[in-house]
Amino acid sequence: MSSPRSGPRTTPDTDLAEQLVRLTRRMHRAQKRHLEPFAITPAQSRLLRMVEHSDTPPRMADLAARLDVVPRAVTTLVDALEAADAVRRVPDPANRRVIRIELTETGRTTLGALRSARRAAAEDILAPLTADQRELLGGLLSTLVDEPGRRC
């Protein structure tokens, strides 16, 4: 138990958790800085990537569920991306009442530029590491991210 003078006691796991949180925040800030020239927010970037990786153009409700947001938030994101000609709303061929979201050529071009911006942000963060350290970190992160049956 910690005394009032010493403050909360930390363990290697809590220190590691804090480091992960700080690294995530730092990566988010770096990515945001690199995205500024494209006038795309991180949330819009994520939505574009989800549309790109969908087998068929997703419905707005599908995007809301995958982003874990309310449908109205997806409407706002799609409105902004549609105004930028990155996506378009299209009727579902099987049910005209259903609207699907698909990428435009501008959206595909934007995704390419966004991938470059993400790589640049990652390079900013990873610059102090050697090639061997990067490889080790990549392996460790893959173990944590790709562990079967685990989902946060």
Side-chain angles (χ1 to χ4, degrees):
M1 181 165 222
S2 64
S3 68
R5 289 176 144 188
S6 65
R9 203 170 20 168
T10 62
T11 66
D13 286 346
T14 58
D15 290 344
L16 185 57
E18 180 59 28
Q19 288 175 309
L20 288 170
V21 168
R22 288 175 45 214
L23 179 61
T24 300
R25 287 181 184 147
R26 188 169 168 219
M27 181 64 187
H28 183 75
R29 284 190 307 269
Q31 179 181 339
K32 212 171 161 181
R33 195 171 52 254
H34 285 277
L35 290 176
E36 283 176 7
F38 305 103
I40 297 277
T41 67
Q44 291 168 343
S45 172
R46 188 169 175 221
L47 187 137
L48 282 174
R49 289 191 316 274
M50 284 186 172
V51 172
E52 178 186 41
H53 290 99
S54 296
D55 293 333
T56 59
R59 298 174 307 142
M60 301 275 271
D62 299 332
L63 292 168
R66 287 171 58 194
L67 289 167
D68 197 24
V69 298
V70 296
R72 177 70 188 121
V74 171
T75 300
T76 301
L77 292 171
V78 170
D79 286 347
L81 290 168
E82 192 173 38
D85 191 35
V87 298
R88 68 177 147 254
R89 289 172 167 94
V90 295
D92 184 310
N95 182 349
R96 289 181 16 175
R97 292 176 295 174
V98 174
I99 300 297
R100 296 193 175 267
I101 307 303
E102 67 180 18
L103 288 176
T104 62
E105 278 308 310
T106 300
R108 284 182 182 78
T109 301
T110 301
L111 275 165
L114 293 174
R115 275 190 284 277
S116 294
R118 285 179 70 128
R119 279 192 299 275
E123 183 57 39
D124 288 352
I125 300 297
L126 299 173
L129 301 180
T130 66
D132 288 344
Q133 289 172 323
R134 288 178 188 212
E135 188 175 334
L136 177 61
L137 178 61
L140 294 169
L141 290 173
S142 290
T143 298
L144 295 174
V145 171
D146 300 335
E147 185 179 345
R150 299 286 308 248
R151 186 164 189 257
C152 294

